[in-house]
Amino acid sequence: MILDVQDLPDGFSLDADICIVGAGPVGISLALTLATGGRRVLLLEGGGPAPEPDSQALYRGQVDAAGLHPSPDHYRERRYGGSSTIWGGRSMPYDSIDFETRPYVPHSGWPIDLAALSPFYGEAVRLCEAGRDAFTIETAFDTPRRPMIEGFDGEHFTTNTLERFSCPTDFGHRYRHKLEAAEGLQVVLHANVTDIRRSETGSEVTGLTVRSLAGRQGQVSAGRVILALGGLETARLLLASRIGERLDAVGRYYMCHIAGTIGSLKFTGPRDSVWNGYDVADDGSYCRRRFALRPEVQRRLGIGNFVARLHHPRIPDPRHRNGILSALYLARPIIPYEYGKRLYGDEAGGLGRWLAHAVNVATDLPATLGFLIHMLRDRRLAERKYPSIVIRSKSNSFSLDFHAEQVPDPDSRVVLTDEVDALGMPRLKADWRYGRADVETVSRSLALLAGDIERSGTGRFDYDPASVESEMTRYGAYGGHHIGTARMGSDPASSVVDADCRVHGIDNLYVAGSAVFPTSSQANPTLTAVAMALRLADHLKGSQP
Amino acid sequence: MTKRILVLGGDGFIGKHMVSALAASGWAMPVAAGRRARAAAPGTERIQLDATDAAALKRALDGVDGVVDCIAGGAMVDVARNLFSSGIDVPVVHLSSMAVYGSAVGLVTEDAPLKADTGPYAQAKAEAEKLAAAYPRAVILRPGCVYGPGSTQWSLRIARLLRARRIGDLGAGGDGCSNLVHVSDVAAAALAGLRLPAAQGRAYNLAMDGAPSWNDYFLDFARALGAVPIVRLSEKRMTLESKLVAAPLKILEILAGKAGLARLIPPPIPPSLVRTWRHEIRLSPARAEAELGIVWRDLAAGLAETAAWINSVAA
Ligand SMILES: Cc1cc2nc3c(=O)[nH]c(=O)nc-3n(C[C@H](O)[C@H](O)[C@H](O)COP(=O)(O)OP(=O)(O)OC[C@H]3O[C@@H](n4cnc5c(N)ncnc54)[C@H](O)[C@@H]3O)c2cc1C
């Protein structure tokens, strides 16, 4: 059943076996899995079924002086479905090495390994609608596919791992009928949790304070409470409820990813010797290969995880002479902020540049029109959307788009400020930092890749090593990936939850989502956040009170 | 001594499989009854019979050791009435349908109420079943969606729709449980029902254990047919299909059917079908497994066999 908090009387009090806070992909996956077998489950969601400026304004906050982090009300959505209402759907599991304690990555090491999570990836991929749990080209397809780069055999990089794409699935919309039908489940919209109350000793959650912007207030008590508010808001609610204050680990070790676009790659073979497009799986999901830094190389050189993709040349620079890219430049006013930022950067436009792009479009008209039709048919009108802009370069020229692990750093953190939101909760400040190790990961990886390409005789990768740091921070912290703020570990001094996602020292409080990841991997977080949530659900099912 | 088993509706999809399964069992001599005059298949007998004619049916029942009632369509209630009031005293396997459960959701066992609230077909099935239930030696079978070689509804039609990319991944619209059952499992259940006295007076769901969702069925079947990749279709598109396109197609199908050309018309997707694909009802297979000893046909093998049949029909 799905209801609105306004349907309840003021001063209401609700009771459940399990209360999940936050109806994003993680909270919804938990609810679908837990609302079986006679359990009474509550799913509290602060937002409503559609975007509302007032709800979204609750997410406002401050950023560090350098302004590297996007404003906290960008790159996340306070509404039913959470940020899956706008996500890109790129899905891949974490790698085995990500879980290891790596002496060269301070604060690394999860209390669980990949094998503990593997049984849950299959269902997580299903829920994300990204096909099936097969993430190499060999396992995902029955028949051999053309190689990504003919003749490339990297000493340091593989090209057979996949990223798969969700539709991208808006979890709230996709699973609404299941949430409505699930026996024993109540979803309450516009129910913002503003405080977690505890017993005198602090070792047990006794209740949650729920408020709506329209003035409703009430209480929820539950045998167990799971926070699934996303990486930033989970930390905010914990901090505001003064949980973990003494040990001061909440909000620390905050990671996004290190990402950027750099250099120019040119392959010497014919156009068909390079495949930068998607392979479509039988189930219709889009799959794409990328360069992935081999784990043994990471270990040997002491650097973090790293992947890179063949990318189109930088859009704002009209010298690419590509009509399609120029058409995208001209479409800038209609591209949403969250996606526009990485496409365009913050460079100023100007009439001259605009004209140069218009000339590109005019001189490359058939290709540009073909592309527009493709985007209309396969993306705009399609239920399963073509995931990104792929330009089949006539000259086999590309730029390189990289996505790298950021190492955990206790000084990279989110904290509360003195400002409060409309519900009286202190607002957040994101003080995101990156370090030398992160620059090293990217710098060394790029050099290794250039070497691999050179040695394979397939082409050249040219980039300016001096520009690595400025390119990887050009757009600041990678938006939308909020990792590590309630990390998992066995030592309460340097972690917030234990291997079962239970908050240290509190018997019945759990955290689900990327907040619990101790390290960030090269992978986008959502698939693993969902898998981890399913593992938590499995654990809770097996340990009935 | 082989038993003489009368198969009513012996020319239908399930009836035909029934007749050959009985013949193959060595235990029975099937007597296929159909409205049209036809030659008997080897190892079987054949009579021409309009079972809505009570007197004719009574004559046909003379000297048989059991009956399988596979009558579908408009005649089913009349035939059931004739059959069960004929004064026979032999085991009768009556083919009902999961439709009798109507709009029920979740895991449904044979003891669930017969809501039959989803239209005239469900009502007729429930009515016929009520007549059967009043006969102490009736074995009632409630199959889910019967697929396999010969299935026009759940195999051929689905294959045509998949090849035309008119169905595929339906998202929330395909989350319902398919309740698939292979036609050979239906025949095996009927045979067991005839042979086991303890089955008389009982009803049995027939749907394979772990039946896939419709979405998964469509993907698996599309793979068997080579109709991949499948496409994701929006709810809007399916609404359009069922609300606007289905009715004209149905009319065309009927007209073409008169000229013997129905195969040329793309199959319509009526609103009831769209509802079926969403319907989250799962038949419990436990009783048929435990009491009739059914071991469900493996889905992959069943689909491969069905795909081969479809390719032979198309050729
Ligand atoms: C533009 C963009 C693109 C992205 N692309 C990708 C991608 O390609 N791949 C990938 O893996 N990830 C991607 N992400 C990240 C992905 O969206 C998140 O990882 C994912 O949504 C996190 O899920 P969640 O359920 O943990 O949190 P959220 O989706 O943030 O959901 C949290 C929910 O909690 C609710 N809530 C918040 N506070 C309260 C409160 N106090 N009380 C009650 N409810 C509350 C919110 O309204 C929200 O519904 C992207 C994000 C963005 C913004």
Side-chain angles (χ1 to χ4, degrees), chain A residues 8-9 67 78 97 129 133 143 181 188 223 226 264 268 284 300 346 366 404 411 414 428 437 462 479 518 527:
Chain A
L8 302 171
R78 187 139 172 160
I97 189 172
E129 299 193 293
D133 182 11
T143 49
V188 189
I226 310 173
S264 92
T268 44
R300 181 154 45 85
D346 293 323
D411 292 333
V414 299
L428 208 62
D462 293 307
L527 179 68

Side-chain angles (χ1 to χ4, degrees), chain B residues 25-176:
Chain B
S25 73
W27 170 82
M29 166 55 78
V31 182
R35 251 194 269 243
R36 276 176 295 259
R38 264 189 207 168
T44 73
E45 284 178 34
R46 159 94 206 176
I47 58 169
Q48 189 182 358
L49 171 69
D50 175 1
T52 59
D53 177 344
L57 177 61
K58 214 171 162 129
R59 282 195 298 277
L61 287 167
D62 195 34
V64 304
D65 303 303
V67 181
V68 184
D69 175 11
C70 305
I71 299 277
M76 72 185 140
V77 178
D78 287 341
V79 172
R81 192 173 293 113
N82 294 345
L83 177 62
F84 295 114
S85 61
S86 65
I88 43 161
D89 187 17
V90 294
V92 175
V93 172
H94 173 77
L95 262 293
S96 181
S97 154
M98 71 177 284
V100 295
Y101 296 121
S103 61
V105 291
L107 187 70
V108 172
T109 64
E110 288 82 351
D111 303 322
L114 307 190
K115 290 170 123 180
D117 56 351
T118 44
Y121 176 75
Q123 270 166 17
K125 277 287 176 197
E127 209 180 320
E129 199 182 292
K130 218 176 279 166
L131 295 164
Y135 175 69
R137 300 192 69 184
V139 180
I140 295 171
L141 302 181
R142 294 179 189 145
C145 296
V146 186
Y147 80 102
S151 162
T152 47
Q153 253 200 318
W154 301 118
S155 294
L156 183 58
R157 172 174 60 174
I158 299 296
R160 294 180 68 194
L161 292 171
L162 282 170
R163 285 195 166 139
R165 302 295 192 275
R166 286 171 62 204
I167 59 173
D169 173 0
L170 304 186
D175 271 347

Side-chain angles (χ1 to χ4, degrees), chain B residues 101 106-110 142 179 204-209 281-289 296:
Chain B
Y101 296 121
L107 187 70
V108 172
T109 64
E110 288 82 351
R142 294 179 189 145
N179 291 297
Y204 297 92
N205 289 338
L206 297 180
M208 64 181 290
D209 187 27
I281 177 174
R282 183 175 284 279
L283 299 190
S284 164
R287 189 189 279 180
E289 290 169 4
W296 309 105

Side-chain angles (χ1 to χ4, degrees), chain A residues 21-28 44-47 59 74-92 165 191-194 228-231 233-234 236-237 338-339 425 478-482 512-514 523-529:
Chain A
V21 188
V26 169
I28 288 174
L44 303 177
E45 166 54 43
Y59 267 169
H74 281 148
Y75 289 98
R76 53 186 190 140
E77 292 284 300
R78 187 139 172 160
R79 60 196 261 211
Y80 171 69
S83 299
S84 74
T85 51
I86 62 165
W87 75 314
R90 184 176 271 137
S91 302
M92 67 289 258
F165 283 80
N192 297 282
V193 174
T194 55
L229 304 86
E233 212 61 7
T234 294
R236 182 179 173 203
L237 181 58
E338 273 78 1
Y339 287 92
M425 263 184 89
Y478 196 82
H481 301 177
H482 308 128
S514 53
N524 300 47
T526 309
L527 179 68
T528 299

